[in-house]
Amino acid sequence: MGKKRKHSEVVVPEAKKDETAPERPKRTLLGWKDKPENPQDSTTNPVFRNREKVLVTCSRRINYRYRHLMLNLVSILPHCKKDNKVESKATKGATLNELVELKSCSSCLFFECRKHKDLYLWMSKCPNGPSVKFLVNAVHTMEELKLTGNHLKGSRPLLTFSSNFDKDPHWKLLKEIITQIFGTPKEHRKSKPYHDHVFVFSIVDDHIWFRNYQISCPHTGADKIDRGGLEKMTLIEVGPRFCLNPIKIFGGSFGGPTLYENPFYVSPNQIRSLEKRQKAGKYAMKVKAKTRRKMHEMSNPLETDEFADMWKE
C-alpha cells in the first residue's frame, strides 16, 4: 500500500490558462483577408487550405452524348466526386443538398436532361447558395473532336476570363462561381503540381463559351526547355467544347429568390414550335397555290381541237 499523504501538505491548484481563442480573420477562396502582424505566431496565423470539392451528377434518362460530356468534365476536374443518377423532380434540390453534405462537398454540378434533347446545367454552392441554371448548347465531347492536344491528367488548370465578365454584376457573380468550382485547390491529393492546360471562358452574344487548351513548349531533352522556348509557346485544343446560356441566378441552392433572369432567353420548346409553324405555313402555301391553279384552269378552259379524236377511230 502507498503512503498516506500528510495533512500538513497543501496542494496548490494550477492556474487555468486563458481558454478564449483569438478571433479568426475572415477567410476567402485565395487566402485570409486580414493577415496578422506577427507571422511567426502560429496560433494567430493558421495555414489556409482550400478544401473545395465538387459533386458531379446527372438526372435519369440522360442522353449518351451528354453523359460523355459529364465524364469529360470529371476527367479534367481532379477535385470532383461522381455520384449516382438523381431523379429530376421538383424536390431534387433537397436531395442534391443532402448528397453534397454526405459526400463532404461544397459545390455541385448537376446535368439535367429533358425530352432526351435539352441539357440544363446547374452550378450551385451548397447548402446556402447561390445557384445558376444554364442551357447547354453546341456540345462536342473529346471522343467526337479527336483533337491533337493532350495534357497531364490531374494537373491544375489556369482559368482565363474575357474582359466582359467585369462589366455587369451578374457576370461578376458568375465569374466567382466558375472560379470556385473549376479551380483545382492547391496541394489537393489527386492533383499534380503542374500547370499544363488552360480553361478559357469567354462571353459572346450573352453566352459563355468553354474551351480547354494544352500549353505546349518545344524542348529537346527530357526536362529542359530550349533557349527561347517560352516565346514559342503555343496552345493546342484538347476539348471538350460547350456553350452555356444563363437562364436564372437564384439566391439559394437549387432555388430561392431570383437574383437575375435573362431577358433574351428563349426555351427550346418555343424554338421547336416556331419551326413546326413554319413548316405548317409552307404546306398551307402549297395547298393555296394548288387551289389557285385549279381555279385558273376552270376559269380559262382550253379550246377544243378538231383533230384530237381523228386517230382514235
Side-chain angles (χ1 to χ4, degrees):
M1 295 179 63
K3 295 182 179 180
K4 292 184 179 180
R5 186 173 60 188
K6 297 180 181 180
H7 295 285
S8 60
E9 295 179 359
V10 179
V11 179
V12 180
E14 295 181 358
K16 293 185 178 180
K17 296 181 180 180
D18 189 10
E19 297 180 355
T20 59
E23 185 179 358
R24 295 180 64 186
K26 293 183 179 180
R27 192 185 75 171
T28 62
L29 182 67
L30 304 177
W32 303 104
K33 281 189 176 179
D34 301 327
K35 293 185 179 180
E37 297 179 357
N38 187 10
Q40 303 295 333
D41 191 359
S42 60
T43 59
T44 60
N45 186 19
V47 178
F48 172 77
R49 291 196 65 182
N50 181 11
R51 301 185 182 276
E52 181 76 23
K53 296 179 184 177
V54 183
L55 177 69
V56 181
T57 183
C58 63
S59 63
R60 296 188 181 275
R61 295 173 293 276
I62 192 172
N63 195 358
Y64 72 96
R65 292 186 67 241
Y66 300 150
R67 186 175 68 252
H68 290 174
L69 175 66
M70 182 189 69
L71 295 177
N72 292 156
L73 285 181
V74 169
S75 64
I76 61 179
L77 296 178
H79 63 289
C80 73
K81 292 184 178 181
K82 187 177 175 294
D83 199 76
N84 297 329
K85 297 178 181 179
V86 179
E87 190 67 37
S88 178
K89 293 182 178 179
T91 58
K92 63 178 178 294
T95 306
L96 288 169
N97 286 329
E98 186 177 357
L99 281 175
V100 169
E101 185 178 359
L102 289 174
K103 291 286 184 177
S104 301
C105 297
S106 56
S107 305
C108 182
L109 288 176
F110 178 60
F111 291 85
E112 184 180 5
C113 185
R114 296 182 181 176
K115 297 184 178 181
H116 298 277
K117 299 177 182 179
D118 308 327
L119 179 65
Y120 297 90
L121 175 61
W122 287 84
M123 290 186 187
S124 176
K125 297 293 294 181
C126 301
N128 299 323
S131 58
V132 193
K133 185 180 181 181
F134 296 98
L135 174 67
V136 185
N137 295 320
V139 175
H140 298 281
T141 62
M142 291 184 181
E143 292 80 7
E144 292 176 350
L145 295 173
K146 295 182 181 179
L147 297 169
T148 58
N150 184 21
H151 59 77
L152 185 67
K153 185 175 182 179
S155 60
R156 299 179 63 209
L158 298 174
L159 302 183
T160 59
F161 297 88
S162 61
S163 59
N164 303 341
F165 279 94
D166 298 328
K167 289 185 178 180
D168 298 325
H170 64 278
W171 291 122
K172 292 181 180 179
L173 178 59
L174 289 177
K175 179 180 178 181
E176 183 64 26
I177 294 175
I178 291 172
T179 302
Q180 295 188 19
I181 291 178
F182 284 87
T184 303
K186 186 180 180 181
E187 297 178 358
H188 191 271
R189 62 186 184 88
K190 290 187 178 180
S191 66
K192 307 295 188 299
Y194 306 108
H195 294 279
D196 62 345
H197 63 116
V198 184
F199 288 166
V200 180
F201 298 90
S202 55
I203 299 175
V204 180
D205 297 333
D206 294 328
H207 290 62
I208 300 176
W209 297 80
F210 172 82
R211 294 291 184 269
N212 181 21
Y213 295 99
Q214 175 199 356
I215 303 173
S216 177
C217 296
H219 59 88
T220 55
D223 298 327
K224 294 183 179 180
I225 300 176
D226 298 341
R227 181 174 296 179
L230 295 178
E231 298 178 358
K232 300 178 182 179
M233 186 183 299
T234 56
L235 296 177
I236 305 173
E237 188 173 356
V238 182
R241 296 177 181 176
F242 55 88
C243 174
L244 300 176
N245 184 11
I247 303 173
K248 283 185 179 181
I249 301 177
F250 300 97
S253 178
F254 298 100
T258 303
L259 303 180
Y260 170 77
E261 185 174 0
N262 189 2
F264 305 105
Y265 170 71
V266 180
S267 67
N269 293 330
Q270 294 181 358
I271 295 174
R272 283 192 288 266
S273 65
L274 289 174
E275 290 177 354
K276 288 182 179 179
R277 287 180 184 177
Q278 289 179 357
K279 291 180 180 179
K282 289 182 181 179
Y283 177 73
M285 289 174 62
K286 288 182 181 179
V287 172
K288 287 181 181 179
K290 197 172 183 180
T291 53
R292 282 199 304 267
R293 179 66 181 172
K294 287 183 178 180
M295 294 295 293
H296 178 73
E297 289 178 355
M298 292 174 62
S299 61
N300 300 307
L302 295 174
E303 296 180 0
T304 57
D305 190 5
E306 298 178 359
F307 304 101
D309 301 330
M310 183 174 64
W311 303 104
K312 289 184 180 181
E313 295 178 357

